[in-house]
Amino acid sequence: MKKVLFLAAAAVTAVAANAQKTKVSAAENAIILQQYSVAKESIDEAIQHPKTQEFAKTYIVASKVYAHLAGEDAANLDKAKEYILKAVELDKNGDSKGKGIGKFTKDINKAYDELAVIAETFAGKAYGDKNYTASRDGFIFDLWAHSQVPGYNELSDSSIIINVGIASMQAEDWKTGADYFLKAGRLRVGDAMSYLRAKYCYEQLNDNDKVEAILKEGFEAYPHVTDMINTLINYYIQAQKNDEALVYLNSAIEKDPANAQYFFARGCLKEKSNVKEAIADYQKSIELNPQLYGATYNIGVVYYNEALNKKTEASGIRDNNAYNAMINESNEILKKAVPYFIKAAELAPDKTQKREVLANLQRTYYTLQEYTKSQEVKAQIDELDAAQ
């Protein structure tokens, strides 16, 4: 009699356990039917029941259910991660007797792939809905899920890495954006733009040291990309680090000796240290691109300022002959500015810049005592002013 009762009790226990495993199966079926609230109800019950709360399959299914519920609350991605890791832990330990270790490894790896797909879909929709923080979190979860599968290669997720960066930028999470764009740059994906985006993020964080380091690293990775070179050079120019800028400009000119902008930029840097070399660089840039306004105008300004300095120097000379000689020298230099100002006025990209050039040209003619020409230029300035 006791034996019969024992068997009966065992049968009841088995039925109860199977009933709870049925809840896990019900949740799986509800996922297939996209009935996620129904799936949640079933799997939550299985998680709470003693017969299935130590069953690895319970948490595999739970992770999928909660990943699908991310659209209701992005925090459900954290629950999905918690549950799949719980499944991994239970699978490593086996049952209460230590049996069945690794039984669900294939199911877990398959689940990781499914979770990645679910998260990517969620992230894409969140981005379309302009919920950029949720989109960022979804793409990060996507990467994490993929990375858990044996043999994972980060390069296979290069587009997702960039998506994390873009979503982070939109969410104004500059640190995360910088981290992922830098990761993309080091994987050599996204071309030089990955480094330039990382640089932009660090600018928003006011981290100038990181900006400089990333631009230098980006230049080493993409030394022939014009935007990369130009951005690095401009950074040093704006930071008034002329020596550093010249190093990269010289390197850029070696790689692309037909680039007029590089010679123009180097001319700008050399104006204070070596006027002759500055003029030579400006002239080279004009030779390469006769329509280059900046270089044309700057040569005129260099000659104008040089002449003005000579005239100032002359004012301190007591000897009349020496004074006149210095003034004549000043005027000869000033005459060199005229053709450049005339050409720059033709090339000026807008009325404001054209007016500035003409004003300098008028002063130049006046200083040279060419009063008729000075008045003619004044008339052009008046005409520009009247048209505004």
Side-chain angles (χ1 to χ4, degrees):
M1 181 64 69
K2 288 183 180 179
K3 187 176 182 181
V4 172
L5 286 175
F6 177 77
L7 290 174
V12 171
T13 301
V15 169
N18 288 332
Q20 291 310 311
K21 288 185 179 180
T22 300
K23 292 291 184 181
V24 177
S25 298
E28 279 191 297
N29 291 331
I31 290 174
I32 294 171
L33 297 172
Q34 299 182 12
Q35 297 173 346
Y36 304 124
S37 59
V38 174
K40 179 181 182 299
E41 183 178 345
S42 295
I43 205 64
D44 284 349
E45 187 175 336
I47 288 171
Q48 294 300 319
H49 199 280
K51 300 299 182 181
T52 44
Q53 64 183 190
E54 298 299 319
F55 181 43
K57 183 67 176 288
T58 300
Y59 297 95
I60 295 172
V61 176
S63 67
K64 298 177 190 178
V65 172
Y66 276 86
H68 278 297
L69 292 171
E72 296 179 6
D73 183 355
N76 283 323
L77 289 175
D78 294 331
K79 296 293 290 184
K81 185 175 183 178
E82 175 190 335
Y83 286 141
I84 193 65
L85 291 176
K86 178 69 173 178
V88 171
E89 179 187 348
L90 291 170
D91 192 51
K92 285 181 179 178
N93 295 331
D95 61 20
S96 59
K97 296 180 181 180
K99 295 181 179 180
I101 294 175
K103 178 181 178 181
F104 292 101
T105 300
K106 288 184 179 180
D107 290 334
I108 289 170
N109 289 337
K110 183 179 179 182
Y112 277 130
D113 285 332
E114 290 183 44
L115 290 172
V117 172
I118 295 167
E120 185 173 345
T121 301
F122 160 73
K125 185 178 186 306
Y127 191 92
D129 293 338
K130 298 184 178 180
N131 187 351
Y132 300 120
T133 299
S135 178
R136 173 204 63 196
D137 293 345
F139 284 127
I140 289 175
F141 184 95
D142 180 6
L143 288 173
W144 173 81
H146 270 158
S147 71
Q148 302 306 301
V149 180
Y152 171 70
N153 183 348
E154 203 169 29
L155 275 173
S156 65
D157 272 337
S158 58
S159 62
I160 304 302
I161 291 171
I162 292 173
N163 284 347
V164 174
I166 292 172
S168 297
M169 281 181 66
Q170 294 287 6
E172 298 186 2
D173 176 5
W174 306 115
K175 182 62 172 66
T176 301
D179 288 345
Y180 278 87
F181 284 131
L182 187 54
K183 182 191 289 287
R186 288 171 176 170
L187 288 171
R188 299 294 185 267
V189 293
D191 299 323
M193 184 56 68
S194 292
Y195 280 104
L196 294 175
R197 284 169 167 166
K199 166 255 184 187
Y200 177 81
C201 289
Y202 278 117
E203 281 180 335
Q204 307 314 303
L205 293 167
N206 295 315
D207 192 338
N208 288 326
D209 289 341
K210 285 285 190 180
V211 169
E212 181 178 359
I214 280 181
L215 286 176
K216 289 171 72 173
E217 183 178 327
F219 176 78
E220 293 300 320
Y222 297 98
H224 297 289
V225 176
T226 302
D227 284 347
M228 191 75 250
I229 299 170
N230 290 347
T231 303
L232 179 59
I233 292 168
N234 286 334
Y235 168 79
Y236 281 125
I237 290 174
Q238 290 171 9
Q240 296 184 340
K241 295 182 177 181
N242 288 4
D243 290 343
E244 290 90 339
L246 278 172
V247 168
Y248 287 100
L249 262 174
N250 290 336
S251 174
I253 288 171
E254 286 180 14
K255 293 180 175 67
D256 187 5
N259 191 313
Q261 287 291 345
Y262 292 156
F263 286 99
F264 170 59
R266 194 168 71 176
C268 292
L269 290 178
K270 287 187 174 181
E271 270 195 35
K272 292 182 180 179
S273 60
N274 192 317
V275 171
K276 288 184 178 179
E277 289 186 5
I279 290 174
D281 277 335
Y282 286 144
Q283 288 175 333
K284 180 63 177 179
S285 68
I286 294 170
E287 176 188 325
L288 293 168
N289 180 6
Q291 304 304 307
L292 197 58
Y293 161 77
T296 305
Y297 178 52
N298 280 11
I299 293 179
V301 171
V302 168
Y303 282 133
Y304 183 93
N305 289 336
E306 190 178 355
L308 190 63
N309 290 337
K310 287 286 184 183
K311 186 161 289 189
T312 301
E313 187 180 342
S315 65
I317 298 176
R318 299 298 181 186
D319 181 81
N320 195 52
N321 290 332
Y323 171 81
N324 288 332
M326 184 69 76
I327 290 296
N328 288 336
E329 185 180 351
S330 170
N331 287 338
E332 289 304 310
I333 294 172
L334 195 57
K335 288 176 184 178
K336 294 180 181 180
V338 172
Y340 290 101
F341 282 148
I342 291 173
K343 184 63 177 179
E346 296 174 5
L347 297 174
D350 56 51
K351 289 182 180 180
T352 300
Q353 288 171 290
K354 184 171 184 175
R355 191 188 191 287
E356 182 180 0
V357 177
L358 290 174
N360 282 331
L361 179 59
Q362 183 196 0
R363 284 192 289 269
T364 300
Y365 279 136
Y366 190 88
T367 302
L368 292 171
Q369 298 182 358
E370 297 186 30
Y371 301 120
T372 301
K373 290 183 178 179
S374 178
Q375 285 301 310
E376 289 174 355
V377 176
K378 177 64 167 61
Q380 293 181 53
I381 295 173
D382 292 340
E383 186 178 341
L384 275 177
D385 291 342
Q388 291 180 351

